[in-house]
Amino acid sequence: VQLQASGGGLVQAGGSLRLSCAASGGTFSSNDMAWFRQAPGNEREFVIGFRRSDSRTYYLESVKGRFTISRDNAKNTVYLQMNSLKPEDTAVYYCAAHTGGRIITSSIRNPSAYNSWGQGTLVTVSS
């Protein structure tokens, strides 16, 4: 599956953005999806993920209550709604897909568990 992320931009602290990740090829509805981010000088970190088989959402603790993930299988698109943004949310955001069946819980936050990645979209939050 090929992924194309979009929706990044510059926003003031406290503002909102919605990122989109459009998928093509493969069977989108059967994939477990996640968003990661990478700030300059930092490793790529898990932000939020959705496991289709049990409809569970997993969060980076610092985004819980502010970020949500959703998907529209008819449009082959997954979304990341980001509210109450903070300067520390500034990063390049990547969508990722796990296409090899149900992702196990211990792997959900591991970038290596995902075999398809979007190109990244930059989110900058000004103070």
Side-chain angles (χ1 to χ4, degrees):
V1 62
Q2 291 76 48
L3 304 176
Q4 179 77 28
S6 62
L10 174 64
V11 63
Q12 288 188 332
S16 298
L17 275 178
R18 188 178 78 158
L19 306 184
S20 299
C21 177
S24 59
T27 307
F28 174 76
S29 60
S30 64
N31 298 334
D32 294 323
M33 301 296 297
W35 289 90
F36 288 75
R37 69 187 181 188
Q38 188 166 18
N42 291 357
E43 294 185 352
R44 191 168 297 189
E45 70 173 350
F46 173 86
V47 176
I48 192 169
F50 178 80
R51 187 165 62 191
R52 178 192 55 83
S53 60
D54 56 4
S55 298
R56 284 197 63 178
T57 300
Y58 296 81
Y59 299 88
L60 176 68
E61 190 63 31
S62 63
V63 308
K64 193 175 293 185
R66 301 189 297 122
F67 290 13
T68 57
I69 187 171
S70 61
R71 63 193 296 163
D72 185 336
N73 288 336
K75 295 183 178 179
N76 287 352
T77 301
V78 64
Y79 303 98
L80 174 62
Q81 179 66 44
M82 304 185 292
N83 299 327
S84 303
L85 282 161
K86 304 176 181 180
E88 52 264 43
D89 295 318
T90 294
V92 176
Y93 283 71
Y94 299 88
C95 58
H98 172 84
T99 63
R102 182 179 184 270
I103 191 170
I104 61 175
T105 303
S106 61
S107 295
I108 284 175
R109 293 176 172 82
N110 186 346
S112 298
Y114 297 83
N115 50 350
S116 291
W117 290 85
Q119 84 287 5
T121 185
L122 176 62
V123 173
T124 304
V125 184
S126 63
S127 57

